[in-house]
Amino acid sequence: MRATSGDQVTESVAGCVAVLRKAVGRDWHGVRAGRVEWDCHTTAVHVADDLVAYAANLAGRARDAYVPFELKLDESTDNAGLLQVLEATGALLAAAVATAPPDVRAFHPYPFRAADRHGFAAMGVAEVLLHTHDMAEGLGLAYEPPAELAESVLATIFPHVQPGPEPWPTLLWATGRGELPGRDPVTAWRWYNNLVLSTERLTLTGVRPAAARDLALDGDGGFDWLGDGPEEGTRDAARMLVKAYEAGVHRPEFTSFVLVRTEDGRAVGTLGFHGTPDEDGRVEIGYNLVEDARGRGYATEALRALAGWALARDDVRTLYARARKDNADSQGVLTRAGFTPLGALDDRLLAYELHG
């Protein structure tokens, strides 16, 4: 499991073109693309249009809407020419992903109106894989992409979908294109880019399952860490996230966030939720910083931002936190962020709450 990259965009497009080339001499206008309402020609143009639109948004740092242009083929373009367009637009997105800095986000409407380079790569790969499936189904061609491509898409932009026995059938099911034993048919779906919040000095970057898996296995999660790298508390939170994802109970807005310092792009710690709100709207929150970042107010700044975001929601009414009795710094973070002490839980821990 890994975050989607430009190389995977290239790989997915190459697989698409290889399959469609087998039917390049057929009339794509006259064949419906699987379960979608378009014919195969319209579907292929749609894929190319999405690839170049994603590339333009990411490269152009679009803020509030898509870059205002639309792909239009020359009237004389045949199927072979359309395959060339697919290759070219795929190359443009791959290049945009490869050259975009980690902190760059650009417009995409769902769900938080922005995506990073991994999100745009995953959306591009998803468009290619799924619509190649549609076109291949309509044209009577065999098609199954590498499992790693489907797994990467699922772990990047479908964090709310429980992994199935195999990634490709799971992705087809999650997008209304197939069945999985024991699961109801999907009739409506959306992918899900990660939540990112900004403060004066930090960017709180929502952790995806792909990054969490890497952190849980002693990797860096794709972040450039200050000092000796993530604390054990960060890895514990990542393990909790992976466990929830694999059980199908992960809600991606109630995730862990890596705290990235704006001035230099270094990760200095994590902050996040220990699950989802209960029936009373109560959810626990925790945090930790790498040793080299402590004493500078980063945890307080991040906690205030995430608490404000959470308590503005209809499903959150109370934030709960715990601090060790012998950790005055952690207690100070909570009180400065507005939490009220509730007293001792045991001989080791103190409890705190913040109400909306």
Side-chain angles (χ1 to χ4, degrees):
M1 183 191 300
R2 57 176 172 147
T4 319
S5 68
D7 289 342
Q8 290 171 305
V9 174
T10 301
E11 182 181 1
S12 68
V13 172
C16 167
V17 170
V19 169
L20 294 181
R21 188 166 281 129
K22 298 174 183 177
V24 73
R26 294 176 58 182
D27 177 14
W28 291 2
H29 289 280
V31 178
R32 179 172 170 174
R35 303 184 187 188
V36 301
E37 297 298 324
W38 302 321
D39 60 51
C40 288
H41 181 274
T42 302
T43 304
V45 174
H46 167 78
V47 173
D49 194 31
D50 278 346
L51 291 172
V52 73
Y54 293 158
N57 267 30
L58 184 58
R61 313 299 193 253
R63 288 290 174 262
D64 301 314
Y66 283 110
V67 176
F69 75 99
E70 185 176 0
L71 179 71
K72 184 177 180 181
L73 302 182
D74 290 343
E75 291 185 4
S76 60
T77 302
D78 57 12
N79 290 342
L82 181 49
L83 293 181
Q84 186 178 17
V85 172
L86 283 168
E87 289 177 318
T89 53
L92 289 172
L93 177 56
V97 170
T99 55
D103 62 328
V104 166
R105 294 181 72 82
F107 176 79
H108 187 272
Y110 188 78
F112 302 116
R113 300 187 64 79
D116 64 5
R117 59 185 182 177
H118 299 303
F120 276 106
M123 291 186 290
V125 172
E127 292 284 355
V128 173
L129 299 188
L130 295 169
H131 286 310
T132 301
H133 164 80
D134 297 335
M135 291 182 283
E137 188 174 67
L139 293 165
L141 304 172
Y143 173 70
E144 182 171 342
E148 187 183 46
L149 288 179
E151 182 183 43
S152 180
V153 168
L154 287 166
T156 303
I157 56 173
F158 288 88
H160 53 299
V161 172
Q162 182 180 17
E166 298 293 335
W168 178 232
T170 302
L171 182 59
L172 291 176
W173 167 82
T175 57
R177 290 171 167 84
E179 298 179 354
L180 279 184
R183 302 196 193 184
D184 293 334
V186 173
T187 57
W189 60 274
R190 287 283 185 92
W191 52 49
Y192 207 114
N193 281 294
N194 63 333
L195 174 64
V196 171
L197 303 172
S198 297
T199 70
E200 181 181 354
R201 298 179 297 166
L202 300 169
T203 300
L204 282 60
T205 303
V207 177
R208 298 180 172 104
R213 175 66 61 81
D214 187 55
L215 285 167
L217 296 175
D218 296 330
D220 59 16
F223 296 92
D224 179 16
W225 290 86
L226 186 68
D228 295 329
E231 295 288 306
E232 191 58 30
T234 292
R235 301 200 187 280
D236 288 341
R239 294 181 187 109
M240 289 172 57
L241 192 158
V242 171
K243 184 177 180 179
Y245 171 62
E246 292 176 344
V249 296
H250 177 54
R251 281 178 60 185
E253 65 270 41
F254 290 100
T255 187
S256 292
F257 296 81
V258 171
L259 313 182
V260 179
R261 198 161 59 184
T262 306
E263 67 180 63
D264 58 5
R266 308 294 298 278
V268 298
T270 52
L271 168 70
F273 301 98
H274 295 180
T276 56
D278 64 19
E279 59 185 12
D280 296 320
R282 188 171 187 257
V283 61
E284 185 173 358
I285 198 166
Y287 50 88
N288 68 82
L289 294 179
V290 301
E291 187 172 352
D292 290 353
R294 295 172 188 169
R296 305 180 193 181
Y298 292 139
T300 301
E301 183 176 326
L303 182 55
R304 285 173 176 160
L306 189 56
W309 175 86
L311 292 172
R313 296 174 57 91
D314 293 336
D315 54 354
V316 177
R317 290 190 289 277
T318 305
L319 295 178
Y320 173 75
R322 294 175 290 175
R324 292 177 60 96
K325 288 183 177 181
D326 60 1
N327 191 338
D329 290 340
S330 182
Q331 296 168 35
V333 168
L334 290 168
T335 55
R336 287 191 296 272
F339 282 71
T340 301
L342 299 178
L345 289 171
D346 52 33
D347 59 358
R348 195 171 54 91
L349 292 172
L350 300 172
Y352 290 78
E353 276 190 347
L354 178 64
H355 298 278

